[in-house]
Amino acid sequence: YEGFPYNEYEPIAPALNENAKKLADALAKGLYQSASNDEWVKELPQGMSKNLENAFLYRVKGLGEMHEMTDKIPTPEDMETVGNALREFLQEYAGDAYPVEEMIPYILDYGFGYAYLGNTMRDPDLEEIMVNGLSRKVFVYHHAHGMCRTTIEISEHDSTIMRIISK
């Protein structure tokens, strides 16, 4: 945290291995794309069940759409509901080969929520997150460490931020 002139704050990202990240990225893409777009299926790791696509669309994505999570910033209750469905889905289709509990917030953040800002948004020690422009570091106000510069930088062509703003 200590630094001059600002303390440093680095959000902790979930530690996903290559296969887990590939599956999580594909499922997150499946959440925010239209149901008719099946590009995300091509990005699934080799050997995934053929029934995975339909099960995911009906059990997880459908629940998210029912809660209008693709059109608005989801409530914590909505995230928990869809997170539970996602947990059941991953346990059935991914099994013990994947770190399910670490994947759930990542998939929800990148599929419906705040993407790479998700872990920062959930940090109870933060009071404020400040985006002061494009191509500049994001700042946070931390209860114990005061004003901190983060490792997060919003680029000019950041589609994630535009998706969040449009909600």
Side-chain angles (χ1 to χ4, degrees):
Y1 283 105
E2 289 192 30
F4 180 81
Y6 297 104
N7 294 323
E8 295 287 325
Y9 175 86
E10 185 169 353
I12 306 298
L16 301 177
N17 65 38
E18 187 177 334
N19 281 341
K21 183 157 178 9
K22 185 174 183 174
L23 176 59
D25 284 339
L27 294 177
K29 195 173 194 178
L31 287 177
Y32 72 76
Q33 289 182 340
S34 68
S36 62
N37 187 340
D38 64 352
E39 286 296 311
W40 66 275
V41 176
K42 298 173 187 167
E43 297 178 20
L44 292 170
Q46 292 288 329
M48 296 303 292
S49 168
K50 298 285 185 200
N51 297 328
L52 180 136
E53 178 183 1
N54 286 334
F56 180 74
L57 290 175
Y58 293 109
R59 290 169 55 186
V60 181
K61 183 177 178 74
L63 189 58
E65 288 174 348
M66 185 176 77
H67 286 268
E68 299 178 337
M69 293 171 71
T70 54
D71 300 328
K72 64 179 184 172
I73 297 295
T75 66
E77 294 80 16
D78 289 343
M79 290 291 258
E80 182 178 355
T81 299
V82 176
N84 289 335
L86 183 57
R87 178 178 294 105
E88 290 175 13
F89 167 81
L90 286 170
Q91 288 170 341
E92 182 177 338
Y93 286 91
D96 295 334
Y98 292 90
V100 170
E101 291 304 315
E102 289 80 13
M103 291 173 67
I104 292 170
Y106 181 91
I107 294 167
L108 292 175
D109 282 343
Y110 282 85
F112 292 133
Y114 294 104
Y116 52 81
L117 294 173
N119 282 335
T120 306
M121 296 290 289
R122 285 190 295 278
D123 187 335
D125 291 326
L126 295 182
E127 187 173 310
E128 187 172 351
I129 299 173
M130 293 156 269
V131 178
N132 296 319
L134 301 174
S135 301
R136 298 180 73 186
K137 297 287 185 183
V138 171
F139 282 78
V140 296
Y141 188 84
H142 191 281
H143 289 291
H145 303 287
M147 185 67 69
C148 299
R149 180 178 52 210
T150 71
T151 55
I152 301 169
E153 191 171 307
I154 310 296
S155 74
E156 192 173 327
H157 305 288
D158 190 337
S159 62
T160 301
I161 290 299
M162 295 313 293
R163 187 167 51 94
I164 293 169
I165 291 169
S166 71
K167 289 183 173 193

